[in-house]
Amino acid sequence: MPGPGRPREFDRTSALDAAVRVFWRQGYEGTSLRDLTAAMGIGRPSLYAAFGGKEQLFRAVVARYRETEMAYVRAALDRPTAHEVAEALLHGQLDALRRPGLPAGCLSVQGAAAVSAGNAGVAEFLAAGRLAGEAALAERFARAVDEGDLPPGTDPAALARFLQVVLEGQAVHAAAGVGSADLARSAELALRAVPAGGRRRRAPR
Amino acid sequence: MPGPGRPREFDRTSALDAAVRVFWRQGYEGTSLRDLTAAMGIGRPSLYAAFGGKEQLFRAVVARYRETEMAYVRAALDRPTAHEVAEALLHGQLDALRRPGLPAGCLSVQGAAAVSAGNAGVAEFLAAGRLAGEAALAERFARAVDEGDLPPGTDPAALARFLQVVLEGQAVHAAAGVGSADLARSAELALRAVPAGGRRRRAPR
DNA sequence: TTACCTCTGTACCGAACAGTACAGAAGTTC
DNA sequence: GAACTTCTGTACTGTTCGGTACAGAGGTAA
């Protein structure tokens, strides 16, 4: 139901999805407003009216990316055991990387890896998001220790950090052009660091 | 021994080292010629005369970075066992990340993670370098299998990829501000994936 | 129809970008 | 000394950057 005034001629979400792909492929600083308006099919003033500017658009893009491309993360945390959580994360990422027609790698990792001084805030924003994901994972693993699902003595924070490091490394590797099949074999090695099934394995020391 | 003509007023290697730090912190596209000339203490024409331009300077910077900041890699490959190779790589990286006054993370990982279309070649150049490192590591692990140092049936390529993924992930994590002490605990978990000491462990499946 | 409101396209802003022409300075060789 | 060669600083090139002023188009509400 449009209010008064001329109605917007584009769909905000479709335009946002187009911006996701551009920022994903080219990073924050590698993307110009010309790239964005061309991909989104809108004029520059429309972009400013709808999203506020380049940086605000980027933040909206990251939020959208997390909702769509990283939906597997939320689902993974709900798995019943720590090992299944880790498995769902690693496999979910591999599935996400396998999708055709999308840029390689991960927007959150490569979107603002290193930036000029003026855009340091953007890099910090992405880094904080990744560390928040790690913290959520650590909390989940701490619960697993409480539940006896992970062996007592397990350091949940260290395990979460290890897993997050692997996920980030896989993203870097995927961006370099390595395919999901090859990444799956290294993911399998990583998965062994997470004790499986009740108390049948020894605790990591 | 200077030849004819006015002698250069700056030291090429010192200027290169200054450029390393700038590119390391801000990435390829995040670094402007103004940033470079200011840090290097030279004028723009001097930069062009000595290095050829921004991209050529960046390639020289990466070569210099590999020689200095990544010297531990070459040394690690000479260790007698696969486990020691992996340990030397992980610890060498941690030591490198611990050095004060230098930018966080790794130039090779974050220097051109995502770039505009016009600079795609720079990103490919860095990615190829990382994959070459992984290939060298795979070769080293294949030798370890031959020597009986790694259990028969071990996939050296997969193990090398895993380790490289972890190293890249640690670099991303370090760039986010995570300290070496915290990274060391995840490195320890990664190290367990590399069988140690003769045939005392089972082969990874 | 009239009044009002919001979006769209053009055209522009100052600033920064990578790269270079050119004149003069500072050395060497003869 | 003169001739030659190379480097340095200033000033400039055209282009692109993110962001915006403004006029007109396209709607709603009375």
Side-chain angles (χ1 to χ4, degrees):
Chain A
M1 48 168 131
R6 179 175 175 177
R8 180 174 287 147
E9 290 183 5
F10 60 95
D11 177 56
R12 195 182 189 275
T13 304
S14 312
L16 191 55
D17 282 334
V20 166
R21 289 189 291 274
V22 179
F23 275 127
W24 190 352
R25 182 170 282 116
Q26 305 191 356
Y28 180 72
E29 285 189 335
T31 299
S32 68
L33 285 185
R34 171 188 288 266
D35 296 330
L36 290 168
T37 53
M40 299 165 84
I42 65 177
R44 205 175 287 219
S46 301
L47 189 155
Y48 273 82
F51 299 101
K54 187 185 179 184
E55 180 168 344
Q56 283 124 296
L57 171 60
F58 182 72
R59 290 172 187 260
V61 156
V62 171
R64 173 74 178 162
Y65 177 85
R66 290 197 180 122
E67 275 176 16
T68 55
E69 308 298 328
M70 292 185 63
Y72 66 89
V73 173
R74 177 179 299 249
L77 290 176
D78 289 335
R79 293 299 187 95
T81 71
H83 190 269
E84 285 176 275
V85 168
E87 189 176 27
L89 281 175
L90 289 165
H91 288 177
Q93 186 192 37
L94 289 174
D95 288 344
L97 294 174
R98 220 187 305 269
R99 241 167 299 168
L102 292 178
C106 169
L107 171 63
S108 170
V109 170
Q110 65 198 268
V115 291
S116 62
N119 291 319
V122 178
E124 287 165 16
F125 164 67
L126 285 187
R130 294 195 305 269
L131 294 182
E134 177 188 318
L137 191 55
E139 220 170 301
R140 178 63 187 84
F141 284 161
R143 199 186 93 197
V145 173
D146 284 347
E147 292 171 346
D149 167 37
L150 281 175
T154 302
D155 182 345
L159 193 57
R161 186 169 306 118
F162 167 74
L163 210 58
Q164 182 75 19
V165 161
V166 169
L167 290 167
E168 289 166 359
Q170 296 266 81
V172 171
H173 234 60
V178 177
S180 296
D182 288 331
L183 292 176
R185 297 195 297 170
S186 89
E188 197 193 342
L189 284 172
L191 194 51
R192 290 202 204 137
V194 186
R199 300 168 182 80
R200 284 182 315 196
R201 276 200 177 208
R202 281 178 324 197
R205 245 166 307 152
Chain B
M1 49 167 134
R6 178 174 174 176
R8 181 174 285 149
E9 290 185 7
F10 61 94
D11 177 56
R12 196 182 188 275
T13 303
S14 312
L16 192 55
D17 282 334
V20 166
R21 290 190 290 273
V22 179
F23 275 127
W24 190 353
R25 183 170 282 116
Q26 305 191 355
Y28 180 72
E29 285 189 337
T31 299
S32 68
L33 285 186
R34 171 188 288 266
D35 295 330
L36 290 168
T37 54
M40 300 165 84
I42 65 177
R44 205 173 288 219
S46 301
L47 189 154
Y48 274 81
F51 299 102
K54 187 184 180 185
E55 181 168 344
Q56 284 123 296
L57 171 60
F58 182 72
R59 290 173 187 261
V61 155
V62 172
R64 174 73 178 162
Y65 177 85
R66 290 199 181 121
E67 273 176 18
T68 55
E69 308 299 327
M70 293 185 63
Y72 65 89
V73 173
R74 177 180 299 250
L77 291 176
D78 290 336
R79 294 299 186 97
T81 71
H83 190 268
E84 284 176 274
V85 168
E87 190 176 28
L89 281 175
L90 288 164
H91 288 178
Q93 186 191 37
L94 289 173
D95 287 344
L97 294 174
R98 219 186 305 270
R99 242 167 300 168
L102 291 178
C106 169
L107 170 64
S108 170
V109 170
Q110 65 198 267
V115 290
S116 63
N119 291 320
V122 178
E124 288 164 17
F125 164 67
L126 284 187
R130 294 196 305 268
L131 294 182
E134 176 187 319
L137 191 55
E139 220 171 301
R140 178 65 187 83
F141 284 161
R143 199 187 92 196
V145 173
D146 284 348
E147 292 171 347
D149 168 38
L150 282 174
T154 303
D155 182 344
L159 194 57
R161 187 169 304 118
F162 168 75
L163 210 57
Q164 182 75 19
V165 161
V166 169
L167 290 167
E168 288 165 359
Q170 296 266 81
V172 171
H173 234 59
V178 177
S180 297
D182 288 332
L183 292 175
R185 298 195 297 170
S186 88
E188 197 193 343
L189 285 172
L191 194 52
R192 291 202 204 137
V194 186
R199 300 169 183 78
R200 287 182 315 197
R201 278 202 174 205
R202 281 177 326 197
R205 246 167 306 153

